């Protein structure tokens, strides 16, 4: 990892990339999403404060555990004066995110455990499909897999794709 002298208080995007391990394109993306910020020089080059390294590390660690970027951005926005997250901030946020992560782990475990049940089906339109209709919550209303109902303005028609036109409807009309 390249060393940056302590007297340098701002980093170029290349230096930030080299130190953080994040691609330049990822840093530009993070900036466009409001996760990090830079100032522009007279030559319109980005310059990042040194503490951006910690912000990038925070973002990447959060992403690795499955936290969406919007949630990360909201967490960073709550820090006073946009300061860099500390260990205490991470401890507080990780505790708050724990229940969300536990729920995702539960859902992924369930998906893993039932994945082989649907390999023989292929169409995912069984009345009690454990992947598209968990716990048969839609079974009381209709048979078949869960359907997404689109809300359209009154008087507009939904266009069907070629695949939808070619597919035969089930007897209950749920295609």
């Amino acid at each position: 990892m390249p060393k940056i002298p302590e007297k340098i208080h701002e980093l170029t995007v290349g230096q930030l990339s080299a130190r953080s391990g994040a691609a330049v394109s990822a840093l530009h993306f993070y900036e466009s999403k409001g996760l990090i910020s830079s100032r522009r020089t007279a030559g319109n080059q980005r310059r990042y404060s040194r503490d951006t390294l910690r912000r990038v590390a925070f973002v990447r660690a959060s992403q690795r555990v499955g936290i969406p970027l919007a949630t990360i951005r909201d967490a960073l926005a709550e820090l006073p004066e946009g300061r860099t997250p500390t260990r205490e901030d991470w401890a507080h946020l990780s505790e708050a995110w724990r229940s969300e992560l536990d729920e995702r782990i539960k859902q992924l475990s369930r998906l893993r455990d039932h994945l082989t049940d649907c390999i023989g089906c292929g169409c995912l339109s069984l009345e009690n499909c454990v992947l598209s209709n968990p716990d048969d919550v839609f079974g009381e209303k209709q048979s078949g897999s869960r359907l997404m109902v689109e809300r359209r303005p009154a008087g507009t028609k939904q266009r069907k794709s070629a695949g939808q036109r070619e597919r035969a409807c089930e007897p209950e009309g749920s295609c």
Side-chain angles (χ1 to χ4, degrees):
M1 183 178 326
K3 294 263 186 185
I4 299 172
E6 289 294 323
K7 64 182 177 180
I8 297 177
H9 298 290
E10 291 185 319
L11 308 173
T12 66
V13 70
Q15 289 170 324
L16 182 60
S17 174
R19 288 290 308 274
S20 68
V24 170
S25 59
L27 296 172
H28 290 169
F29 180 74
Y30 293 163
E31 190 169 358
S32 74
K33 296 298 180 186
L35 298 164
I36 61 174
S37 61
S38 67
R39 74 168 186 88
R40 296 292 183 134
T41 66
N44 202 29
Q45 295 174 332
R46 289 177 168 95
R47 293 293 185 264
Y48 298 91
S49 63
R50 286 181 74 94
D51 65 346
T52 305
L53 279 168
R54 181 169 289 195
R55 286 180 77 90
V56 171
F58 178 87
V59 170
R60 295 185 80 201
S62 301
Q63 283 185 292
R64 273 193 292 274
V65 297
I67 304 300
L69 285 178
T71 304
I72 298 167
R73 182 185 57 238
D74 293 345
L76 288 170
E78 290 179 13
L79 297 176
E81 299 174 13
R83 71 171 164 74
T84 300
T86 63
R87 285 184 180 162
E88 292 79 24
D89 294 325
W90 179 257
H92 174 72
L93 289 168
S94 64
E95 184 61 36
W97 292 339
R98 182 180 288 296
S99 63
E100 180 182 336
L101 292 173
D102 286 343
E103 182 59 32
R104 283 192 205 161
I105 290 167
K106 180 178 161 187
Q107 289 172 352
L108 286 171
S109 295
R110 179 187 177 127
L111 175 64
R112 180 202 59 218
D113 295 345
H114 293 287
L115 187 59
T116 55
D117 295 345
C118 281
I119 288 186
C121 166
C123 70
L124 299 179
S125 64
L126 297 173
E127 288 185 22
N128 296 315
C129 180
V130 296
L131 295 179
S132 61
N133 189 10
D135 299 324
D136 196 22
V137 294
F138 297 102
E140 296 173 9
K141 298 177 185 173
Q142 65 187 25
S143 65
S145 63
R146 175 178 157 188
L147 300 175
M148 298 296 291
V149 177
E150 276 187 36
R151 292 186 178 243
R152 295 182 307 276
T156 60
K157 292 182 180 180
Q158 178 181 3
R159 297 187 67 194
K160 291 184 178 180
S161 70
Q164 289 171 318
R165 287 190 296 269
E166 294 170 5
R167 191 172 45 208
C169 289
E170 294 177 359
E172 293 82 20
S174 60
C175 57

